[in-house]
Amino acid sequence: MESTMKEMREGAPVLEPKSNVGGGVEDVYGEDRATEDQFVTPWALSVASGVSLLRDPRYNKGLAFTERERDAHYLRGLLPPTVASQRLQEKKLLHNLRQYQLPLQKYIAIMDLRERNERLFYKLLIDNVEELLPVVYTPTVGEACQKYGSIFRRPEGLFISLKERGKVLEALKNWPERSIQVVVVTDGERILGLGDLGCQGMGIPVGKLALYTALGGVRPSACLPVTIDVGTNNEDLLKDEFYIGLRQRRAIGQEYADLLHEFMNAVKQNYGEEVLIQFEDFANHNAFELLTKYGTTHLVFNDDIQGTAAVVLAGLLAALKVVGSSLADHTFLFFGAGEAGTGVAELIALEMSKQAEAPVEETRKNIWLVDSKGLIVNSRKGSLQHFKKPWAHQHEPVEDLLSAVKALKPTILIGSAGVGRAFTKEVVETMTSYTERPLIMALSNPTSKSECTAEEAYSWSKGRAVFASGSPFHPVEYNSRVFVPGQANNAYVFPGFGLGLVISGSLRVHDQMLLAASEALASQVSPEDFEKGLIYPPLRNIRKISAQVAANVAEVAYDLGLATRLPRPGNLVEYAESCMYSPVYRNYR
Ligand SMILES: NC(=O)C1=CN([C@@H]2O[C@H](COP(=O)(O)OP(=O)(O)OC[C@H]3O[C@@H](n4cnc5c(N)ncnc54)[C@H](OP(=O)(O)O)[C@@H]3O)[C@@H](O)[C@H]2O)C=CC1
Ligand SMILES: CC(=O)C(=O)O
Ligand SMILES: [Mg+2]
């Protein structure tokens, strides 16, 4: 025995087949006997059965395994006797989730479920989308990102850091899935309105792709969340002992561009021309450039610029039916002139140009934007970022939002600055003083960044505002009337938009697709929705909505010759529906 201990200490191979460890289980491979400095081989079985089946989230059904499956797949004794239906499992989980007081506890619990039983996670999410979207998505995902280092358990996506330079393709090949259709990628620099969260931004691509599956029906195995880690300028994170990312300030310039370029090319090389790469929550100094740079070589979509634009335009088209006017009758003021603000402004201008058959340079003239330095006007043109320049109109300088409202008298006010409570009582009251139905969109996320609450919008406007917000608000009772605020969030569009690209095999994204997506979404708002004050259809219908959006997007892809999946299906809505992933359990032979 003494000589064995000596050999183990010295790292020599110890082969003693009859030796027993702990509870008397034979340690055939020496895994239990190995000391910390000795190597063991991580053996795994390739066909899931028994415990490995229960531990495989893609195939695990928990108590829903039937008697026959328990026999056929070596599960006898591994489960208690009850056989439960998926419906009952769902009911139990919902009950359990509702016991948690804190949203983050719910987030952790539901993401844990995803790691145990993927189909049950998606079934729960799809069947209870209105209740659970705020848990897996905004606002809770914001808090999850802020605390991602502490709650991190298992990798839910790929981390590509500067350490992977020259090895990005290798990293992609380490991901267990081969047939990827949608990649959502962030570099963590502008996470919602919360700023630079570095590597912890991973919560965003993970959440967006959960929505791709639940709302848009893209198979979970076809979705790949990616976080590019080039460091962070967030001092708190750099000092945080639990931070999971690179502890350095952000790489910029050529170093940044080179890593991104290697990533973009590796994705195309590994998954082909038709893989969709969705940029999410990049800071605007990179976002516009990446979209332009890769727009001609890759299938890329920026959700914050393009997805938000399609959703807001849809809300406006629907709202104008209530107000009884057209886009051209309105004056638009944006508070925030970044990705969301200028992206939305441009799509509105494009739609007006299409409606009026007028040049877009003309239709931009009724659209004004305010940034951190005040109203964007001609005299500032020399120092403006390129994406703001088209919005620099002739006007004297105006320093703040309230003064801009007073000077321009906008009838539509859209917030996208990530500055909470910026729409003050005075701003809303001023709008209400000159327009009968002020249209107010508080797009900023999460809830703490919302420009005003639903209650404030309705009460300050004396029930006259048409209101929607990026993060959800509960219905509000004002003057004995219940107003239901809509959620102006790109989640209404990107899942269906991506599905449309995937099912048509589109090679590029085109602005016409954004307009088509808006029209599809706006067409789903019913007179009953309008009656409640809603300018978006209820989220519980989201799979149907996504199929409509997908069909419209695919139609444009076919019309423009961008589609590669031929022949073109006769009925694109039915086809889109038939392509959608269903989380109902499968029977195992
Ligand atoms: N509802 C939805 O679907 C979506 C919501 N959003 C939300 O919109 C917000 C902004 O996102 P995004 O456009 O990508 O961010 P950007 O960083 O690209 O843009 C932010 C803009 O807000 C301006 N700004 C910041 N502070 C102030 C201030 N105090 N006064 C006036 N303007 C200010 C900035 O001005 P300057 O340029 O001078 O710095 C900039 O123009 C975020 O909260 C995000 O969550 C984003 C996408 C979708
Ligand atoms: C919704 C979204 O994409 C954002 O707030 O960034
Ligand atoms: Mg975003």
Side-chain angles (χ1 to χ4, degrees):
M1 181 55 110
E2 182 44 40
S3 72
T4 308
M5 294 302 288
K6 186 166 176 292
E7 283 172 38
M8 281 170 66
R9 273 195 302 271
E10 288 169 4
V14 180
L15 290 174
E16 209 178 343
K18 289 290 170 205
S19 160
N20 285 351
V21 178
V25 178
E26 261 192 59
D27 183 21
V28 178
Y29 302 110
E31 287 171 18
D32 296 333
R33 276 172 295 156
T35 55
E36 279 180 13
D37 52 353
Q38 286 181 316
F39 294 110
V40 297
T41 306
W43 295 107
L45 298 172
S46 56
V47 177
S49 69
V51 167
S52 59
L53 180 56
L54 295 180
R55 288 187 182 155
D56 186 330
R58 194 180 323 169
Y59 295 110
N60 180 29
K61 299 200 262 185
L63 287 182
F65 280 109
T66 62
E67 299 290 355
R68 202 186 57 73
E69 286 170 334
R70 291 175 192 212
D71 280 331
H73 297 279
Y74 304 95
L75 296 170
R76 281 282 158 213
L78 298 180
L79 291 165
T82 292
V83 176
S85 65
Q86 196 179 20
R87 173 60 61 193
L88 188 70
Q89 289 180 306
E90 239 189 302
K91 187 175 170 190
K92 182 177 79 177
L93 278 156
L94 200 59
H95 169 81
N96 290 349
L97 276 177
R98 286 177 181 159
Q99 306 305 308
Y100 292 110
Q101 298 298 315
L102 301 175
L104 191 62
Q105 292 172 323
K106 293 188 190 193
Y107 177 88
I108 293 171
I110 198 167
M111 294 318 264
D112 268 356
L113 169 64
R114 199 172 84 141
E115 280 183 15
R116 290 197 310 274
N117 184 336
E118 190 177 88
R119 283 183 182 270
L120 191 52
F121 167 82
Y122 283 113
K123 186 85 173 61
L124 193 66
L125 190 51
I126 291 168
D127 291 347
N128 304 281
V129 69
E130 279 165 332
E131 180 171 348
L132 297 181
L133 208 61
V135 178
V136 298
Y137 191 54
T138 185
T140 311
V141 73
E143 190 185 354
C145 287
Q146 287 172 311
K147 297 175 181 161
Y148 205 78
S150 301
I151 64 174
F152 175 80
R153 291 170 192 212
R154 280 174 168 206
E156 300 165 291
L158 266 186
F159 294 94
I160 310 258
S161 77
L162 289 170
K163 288 185 187 174
E164 277 67 55
R165 256 178 306 200
K167 299 179 197 163
V168 174
L169 185 60
E170 197 183 310
L172 289 178
K173 288 189 187 297
N174 287 341
W175 186 250
E177 305 295 343
R178 293 282 163 269
S179 308
I180 298 298
Q181 293 172 323
V182 184
V183 175
V184 175
V185 58
T186 187
D187 72 355
E189 194 168 3
R190 196 286 278 143
I191 295 298
L192 308 179
L194 301 171
D196 183 352
L197 297 185
C199 192
Q200 302 196 163
M202 180 57 106
I204 294 294
V206 168
K208 291 274 176 183
L209 284 164
L211 269 52
Y212 254 106
T213 299
L215 279 48
V218 177
R219 268 195 339 272
S221 58
C223 296
L224 173 59
V226 177
T227 294
I228 305 270
D229 184 356
V230 295
T232 177
N233 295 340
N234 182 325
E235 296 299 336
D236 290 340
L237 287 181
L238 289 172
K239 280 188 259 158
D240 181 350
E241 63 174 322
F242 297 135
Y243 182 54
I244 55 172
L246 285 183
R247 274 171 209 278
Q248 64 167 73
R249 295 185 70 76
R250 280 187 177 272
I252 55 168
Q254 202 56 46
E255 197 180 6
Y256 178 88
D258 286 349
L259 185 66
L260 263 292
H261 197 60
E262 186 184 343
F263 168 72
M264 294 302 290
N265 289 339
V267 168
K268 197 161 144 180
Q269 185 178 340
N270 210 32
Y271 307 119
E273 279 280 300
E274 293 165 31
V275 64
L276 168 64
I277 303 175
Q278 174 166 316
F279 295 119
E280 193 70 53
D281 291 11
F282 282 74
N284 60 39
H285 56 90
N286 290 315
F288 288 98
E289 210 174 301
L290 288 170
L291 191 59
T292 308
K293 180 171 176 186
Y294 293 105
T296 51
T297 54
H298 291 64
L299 179 65
V300 288
F301 171 70
N302 184 303
D303 190 32
D304 301 299
I305 302 171
Q306 298 171 300
T308 316
V311 167
V312 172
L313 177 61
L316 294 178
L317 294 176
L320 295 185
K321 286 192 204 163
V322 187
V323 182
S325 53
S326 72
L327 288 169
D329 299 327
H330 289 270
T331 301
F332 299 81
L333 181 63
F334 285 79
F335 180 66
E339 295 165 64
T342 61
V344 175
E346 185 64 14
L347 200 66
I348 293 172
L350 269 180
E351 175 68 17
M352 284 200 277
S353 141
K354 189 175 142 194
Q355 285 180 8
E357 294 182 13
V360 72
E361 293 73 20
E362 274 305 305
T363 56
R364 285 190 188 124
K365 287 184 179 160
N366 253 0
I367 304 178
W368 298 82
L369 290 92
V370 168
D371 67 7
S372 66
K373 296 182 183 64
L375 190 65
I376 295 181
V377 290
N378 256 341
S379 54
R380 293 181 52 196
K381 216 164 182 170
S383 61
L384 288 175
Q385 288 154 287
H386 66 92
F387 51 87
K388 293 179 185 169
K389 288 196 165 131
W391 309 103
H393 307 316
Q394 192 53 47
H395 199 284
E396 63 199 35
V398 177
E399 272 186 16
D400 59 86
L401 175 66
L402 182 60
S403 310
V405 170
K406 287 180 177 165
L408 298 163
K409 298 198 172 17
T411 45
I412 297 180
L413 179 64
I414 300 177
S416 64
V419 180
R421 298 298 190 276
F423 294 172
T424 57
K425 189 166 189 250
E426 214 179 343
V427 165
V428 176
E429 283 179 351
T430 305
M431 274 189 88
T432 314
S433 70
Y434 56 75
T435 179
E436 187 52 34
R437 301 297 307 270
L439 208 154
I440 299 175
M441 289 197 181
L443 297 182
S444 294
N445 296 315
T447 315
S448 59
K449 304 292 176 185
S450 189
E451 285 77 6
C452 65
T453 65
E455 188 169 5
E456 287 166 347
Y458 295 125
S459 61
W460 292 341
S461 67
K462 304 208 171 359
R464 280 162 43 198
V466 178
F467 177 79
S469 55
S471 295
F473 283 104
H474 292 298
V476 172
E477 195 177 327
Y478 177 80
N479 260 356
S480 312
R481 196 181 150 195
V482 175
F483 295 86
V484 186
Q487 193 174 346
N489 193 295
N490 48 31
Y492 267 111
V493 157
F494 74 78
F497 196 90
L499 180 68
L501 297 171
V502 168
I503 62 173
S504 60
S506 183
L507 295 177
R508 296 286 177 270
V509 166
H510 195 282
D511 282 348
Q512 292 299 332
M513 293 175 182
L514 300 176
L515 295 177
S518 288
E519 282 157 22
L521 177 56
S523 74
Q524 299 299 302
V525 188
S526 68
E528 297 77 57
D529 299 331
F530 287 134
E531 194 49 39
K532 294 179 194 149
L534 280 167
I535 54 172
Y536 292 98
L539 270 166
R540 63 177 172 276
N541 298 342
I542 189 69
R543 303 257 294 189
K544 184 172 161 257
I545 297 162
S546 293
Q548 297 284 340
V549 171
N552 270 23
V553 169
E555 186 172 6
V556 176
Y558 283 106
D559 287 350
L560 297 182
L562 292 169
T564 56
R565 297 253 154 97
L566 301 168
R568 174 189 181 135
N571 184 327
L572 281 166
V573 177
E574 278 176 16
Y575 182 64
E577 278 169 350
S578 75
C579 291
M580 289 171 109
Y581 163 86
S582 155
V584 172
Y585 287 144
R586 301 295 190 267
N587 297 319
Y588 301 150
R589 67 172 63 83

